[in-house]
Amino acid sequence: MTFWAFVIIGIGQLCVLAAPIYISEMWFPTEEKTVAISIGTYCNFLGMNFAVLFVALLFDNVNNTSQGMDIMNLTFAIMSTVAHALCLVYIKDDPIQ
């Protein structure tokens, strides 16, 4: 089961890691694309580092590993849902002309 979960995560990462390039090509003029791509890529890695730090701190303070996994999954699910809702509200189909 864990193997297939990582396969699905890996497939999803293809889209997530390519998103800053795709979005900056559509939304930004030529002279701003490099900055937009670098900020988007930096935020991707910042989010991954936050996840690693959060999990390390969580399992350092939790005695029961099963309980820690439940808390971790619930926290990531809530954060992902909130981020998705914010994207649906604030990101428009076309850039402002």
Side-chain angles (χ1 to χ4, degrees):
M1 183 73 159
T2 304
F3 172 76
W4 292 112
F6 276 108
V7 167
I8 293 170
I9 289 171
I11 292 170
Q13 276 187 334
L14 293 173
C15 300
V16 170
L17 294 177
I21 298 168
Y22 177 73
I23 292 171
S24 68
E25 179 159 344
M26 289 179 28
W27 280 59
F28 294 98
T30 305
E31 62 273 359
E32 295 177 2
K33 285 182 184 178
T34 304
V35 174
I37 291 171
S38 59
I39 290 173
T41 304
Y42 176 75
C43 289
N44 275 338
F45 289 113
L46 188 66
M48 286 185 249
N49 287 329
F50 170 75
V52 169
L53 178 67
F54 177 75
V55 170
L57 293 175
L58 178 69
F59 284 106
D60 188 38
N61 295 329
V62 174
N63 294 331
N64 186 358
T65 304
S66 169
Q67 179 188 8
M69 289 293 287
D70 291 341
I71 293 170
M72 179 189 69
N73 289 335
L74 181 63
T75 303
F76 286 153
I78 290 171
M79 289 173 28
S80 297
T81 304
V82 169
H84 182 75
L86 290 173
C87 287
L88 289 176
V89 170
Y90 289 110
I91 296 178
K92 305 297 180 207
D93 290 338
D94 294 324
I96 298 171
Q97 299 297 334

